Amino acid sequence: MQAVLECPKITVIRPQGKLNAANSLEFERDLTAALTPNDVSILLVDLAAVESLDSAGLMALVSALKLAQNLGRSLKLCSVSPALKIIFELTQLDEVFEFEDTIDLNSVNPS
């Protein structure tokens, strides 16, 4: 029997500025578009350049997480600042989302 190592296809989204009611629908559409291709296994959302996050922005992330789970895919949040991390902790969503400190795509060998 041969061991097979499959490297998943990874998509990275890097929103910037404020994720709020003014742009949450567009953000959710971007997340959905990134998750729906068949060759995507992992969606990494790099929040390093996000200044603030309100409930609408948070709900866009929750909706994308539900979609990822329904599609059998993974959604991870990366480079989350301490200020944003508090929002996830206060809403207890820190127990729902997967967090990575930084994005290290060099360790992934895409197929």
Side-chain angles (χ1 to χ4, degrees):
M1 182 173 195
Q2 238 180 344
V4 177
L5 176 63
E6 292 185 16
C7 295
K9 295 287 186 170
I10 298 172
T11 300
V12 179
I13 288 187
R14 292 184 171 105
Q16 298 179 357
K18 299 175 182 178
L19 294 179
N20 56 29
N23 60 15
S24 65
L25 289 177
E26 179 183 355
F27 179 51
E28 187 173 348
R29 279 194 298 266
D30 292 344
L31 293 169
T32 299
L35 279 167
T36 53
N38 288 332
D39 63 342
V40 172
S41 296
I42 299 172
L43 176 61
L44 297 175
V45 183
D46 182 357
L47 297 176
V50 174
E51 300 166 6
S52 65
L53 176 70
D54 75 0
S55 60
L58 195 59
M59 287 311 301
L61 287 168
V62 169
S63 294
L65 179 62
K66 287 181 183 179
L67 175 62
Q69 291 170 341
N70 288 339
L71 294 173
R73 302 193 177 127
S74 178
L75 184 146
K76 297 181 180 186
L77 306 179
C78 307
S79 305
V80 181
S81 70
L84 294 182
K85 186 75 171 187
I86 290 172
I87 295 169
F88 288 96
E89 291 170 356
L90 289 173
T91 57
Q92 297 182 343
L93 289 172
D94 61 322
E95 298 174 16
V96 176
F97 283 97
E98 289 184 60
F99 295 89
E100 298 290 335
D101 291 334
T102 59
I103 296 176
D104 184 11
L105 296 179
N106 293 327
S107 66
V108 177
N109 193 9
S111 53

